[in-house]
Amino acid sequence: MKKYYDNLNTEIKKYFKILESNFPEWLNEYIDTKELLSQQYISVTCGTIYSNLFESDFFFSSLDHSVAVALIVWHFTHDKKQTLSGLFHDIATPAFKHCVDFLNGDYMTQESTEDLTTEIIKKSKEIMKLLKRDNIEISEIDNYHLYPIADNDTPKLSADRLEYSLSNALFTYRLLDLASIKEIYDDIEIQTNEEKEIELGFKTKKNARNFVKVTSRLSVIYREDRTRYSMQLIADILKRLSDENKISKKDLYELKESEVINIIESSKYNDIFNIWKNAKKVKISKEKPKKETFIQAVVTLIFSQVLIKLLGLVYTLYLTNREGFGDSGNAIYSSGFQIYALLLTFSSTGVPNAISYLVSERLAVGDNKGAHKIFKIAFVTFALIGIMGSLLLFAGAETISNKW
């Protein structure tokens, strides 16, 4: 029994039939491995199908996309290695797909999760056994960027880019029907571009124009406020749950999207999540958020420093001109102030800079918990030192002044 294919949605089977009329039987063994089957619980829409902001609730999974890419590559090359590279290219996809790229700060390329591909394949006994049987090295299938038919740079056309355009147009946004998909797909062939590289291309300008029209409409949808807002909202909720130790990045790779949603809905973020689920429209504020410019920040810093110096001057003038203070009091104050100034420089410049460096280092690699831990330890440590020092000076003021 083929675990995946036999239970496949009828509409998706018809779509696959267009991509490759003879489904390669050898591919089923790879598809039915534990690591790939887990991808059938992750939606390619990055969670947007769970909100009424979007019209479609059709669940086209990450595994459906990967299999479709593999079928396209097989259709045009009949090369096992290239086909498997297409099948495995999203094996490291976590729940909510590219929302985790937003969480990782990878807003532009949205490829931050691909680094785990090799590791996941290596750890799979099933996949490694099949690769060994077929005499295929892991380095030949863990990076689909090696094969221009499987993947290439925009605006070139590859199996990956072609597939998510066709499936989104067919299932998610209903811009095309199966007949239109077939007409476009049957017009594609392998061509050599102006850079002397092979890529997928169209035989006729008519179908090329139709495909560009569809992808242009999809491009607008991908950049709409509702799409970006939804992905950022999910990423923000996941980040907060992660900071609160309610969920880990490991969980996002091991749990189904439905299970992650259960965690969100049982948390204090349930209300905002349900508002998003039931929303019909994203409202845009007429006022842009005010951002502090570099010059404003510099002026604020200068003003604060001047204010500090003026307050220090007022204090000094009052103390040195106080009746009974005199030259001897001024001499004692000045000698003690030198020690104070040295300690002040250390505490207000050296230590904060060192802490900010350590915190920034953790934040740069996405370790928010580590950054918070450093801040917390530093805060508690220096608060205790400050309190102990103050108590020591207060209790021993007479001893220090008379004997030191």
Side-chain angles (χ1 to χ4, degrees):
M1 177 181 175
K2 308 178 193 75
K3 298 177 187 176
Y4 169 75
Y5 192 81
D6 288 347
N7 295 296
L8 199 58
N9 178 293
T10 303
E11 284 188 71
I12 296 177
K13 278 187 178 180
K14 291 178 180 178
Y15 170 59
F16 283 178
K17 193 76 173 176
I18 292 173
L19 302 182
E20 174 51 54
S21 57
N22 297 310
F23 196 99
E25 287 294 325
W26 65 267
L27 197 60
N28 282 307
E29 291 182 277
Y30 285 95
I31 295 172
D32 288 341
T33 55
K34 177 187 174 183
E35 289 72 20
L36 277 170
L37 287 177
S38 67
Q39 292 293 309
Q40 65 186 318
Y41 305 109
I42 299 169
S43 168
V44 294
T45 61
C46 308
T48 58
I49 60 167
Y50 303 117
S51 172
N52 289 334
L53 285 169
F54 301 86
E55 300 79 14
S56 176
D57 59 357
F58 190 95
F59 195 93
F60 191 77
S61 74
S62 178
L63 180 56
D64 296 331
H65 165 67
S66 295
V67 172
V69 171
L71 290 176
I72 293 172
V73 176
W74 178 254
H75 177 79
F76 287 105
T77 68
H78 275 73
D79 183 282
K80 271 192 176 184
K81 294 173 184 177
Q82 294 189 52
T83 300
L84 287 174
S85 74
L87 180 67
F88 292 133
H89 83 281
D90 268 351
I91 198 171
T93 299
F96 300 111
K97 206 169 173 69
H98 292 306
C99 288
V100 177
D101 292 315
F102 274 62
L103 182 62
N104 294 336
D106 181 23
Y107 305 94
M108 299 302 293
T109 62
Q110 296 182 9
E111 295 175 348
S112 68
T113 60
E114 291 183 7
D115 295 339
L116 294 171
T117 300
T118 306
E119 183 181 341
I120 290 173
I121 295 173
K122 277 184 177 179
K123 288 183 177 180
S124 171
K125 293 180 179 179
E126 288 180 278
I127 295 175
M128 292 304 294
K129 184 179 178 180
L130 291 171
L131 291 175
K132 186 177 180 180
R133 182 200 67 188
D134 294 339
N135 197 29
I136 297 174
E137 297 292 330
I138 191 171
S139 60
E140 295 175 304
I141 51 86
D142 67 346
N143 181 9
Y144 78 144
H145 304 300
L146 295 172
Y147 307 109
I149 298 302
D151 183 62
N152 51 30
D153 296 327
T154 306
K156 299 170 187 174
L157 185 60
S158 64
D160 183 31
R161 200 164 296 111
L162 172 64
E163 197 295 310
Y164 68 67
S165 297
L166 294 179
S167 58
N168 275 328
L170 177 62
F171 299 118
T172 308
Y173 302 108
R174 302 295 181 181
L175 302 178
L176 296 172
D177 56 21
L178 282 170
S180 302
I181 293 286
K182 180 171 173 55
E183 182 180 356
I184 289 172
Y185 189 73
D186 287 347
D187 197 52
I188 296 173
E189 64 181 359
I190 295 179
Q191 298 176 351
T192 302
N193 61 29
E194 57 274 14
E195 297 174 6
K196 306 301 180 186
E197 298 174 345
I198 60 168
E199 66 168 299
L200 298 179
F202 290 89
K203 301 172 188 175
T204 65
K205 289 183 179 180
K206 175 191 171 185
N207 283 304
R209 289 194 188 100
N210 289 339
F211 181 73
V212 169
K213 286 179 183 177
V214 171
T215 55
S216 296
R217 290 177 67 185
L218 288 172
S219 179
V220 171
I221 294 171
Y222 298 153
R223 300 195 309 271
E224 282 178 340
D225 291 318
R226 60 175 179 167
T227 306
R228 292 184 292 114
Y229 166 78
S230 297
M231 293 177 70
Q232 189 62 65
L233 175 69
I234 293 172
D236 288 344
I237 292 175
L238 293 177
K239 180 181 183 300
R240 295 198 177 197
L241 288 173
S242 175
D243 291 342
E244 295 167 10
N245 295 317
K246 301 289 178 62
I247 199 169
S248 66
K249 285 190 177 180
K250 183 181 178 182
D251 292 330
L252 297 177
Y253 287 94
E254 295 180 351
L255 299 178
K256 301 175 183 178
E257 275 184 357
S258 58
E259 293 172 331
V260 177
I261 288 174
N262 288 338
I263 293 174
I264 294 173
E265 292 183 331
S266 63
S267 74
K268 61 183 179 182
Y269 306 109
N270 176 51
D271 289 344
I272 186 65
F273 187 72
N274 279 317
I275 288 173
W276 169 74
K277 282 176 66 177
N278 298 315
K280 301 288 186 181
K281 184 179 179 181
V282 174
K283 293 184 178 180
I284 309 299
S285 173
K286 294 180 180 179
E287 297 180 5
K288 291 185 178 181
K290 294 180 180 179
K291 292 183 179 180
E292 187 178 53
T293 65
F294 174 74
I295 298 299
Q296 288 174 320
V298 171
V299 171
T300 302
L301 186 60
I302 292 173
F303 177 77
S304 63
Q305 291 298 315
V306 170
L307 182 62
I308 291 170
K309 296 299 181 184
L310 287 174
L311 291 174
L313 179 62
V314 171
Y315 171 75
T316 304
L317 289 173
Y318 165 75
L319 188 62
T320 55
N321 288 286
R322 186 179 178 183
E323 185 178 350
F325 194 75
D327 292 338
S328 59
N330 193 34
I332 295 170
Y333 168 78
S334 297
S335 61
F337 186 81
Q338 300 304 318
I339 299 172
Y340 165 76
L342 176 64
L343 295 175
L344 178 65
T345 301
F346 173 74
S347 63
S348 63
T349 305
V351 173
N353 285 346
I355 294 171
S356 65
Y357 173 80
L358 293 172
V359 169
S360 299
E361 190 177 48
R362 290 294 89 207
L363 290 175
V365 296
D367 184 9
N368 294 317
K369 289 182 183 177
H372 183 71
K373 185 177 181 181
I374 292 170
F375 171 77
K376 188 176 179 181
I377 291 172
F379 180 81
V380 172
T381 301
F382 288 102
L384 290 174
I385 291 173
I387 292 170
M388 290 171 63
S390 298
L391 291 174
L392 179 64
L393 289 173
F394 181 78
E398 186 176 351
T399 303
I400 293 171
S401 61
N402 291 330
K403 296 186 177 180
W404 291 12

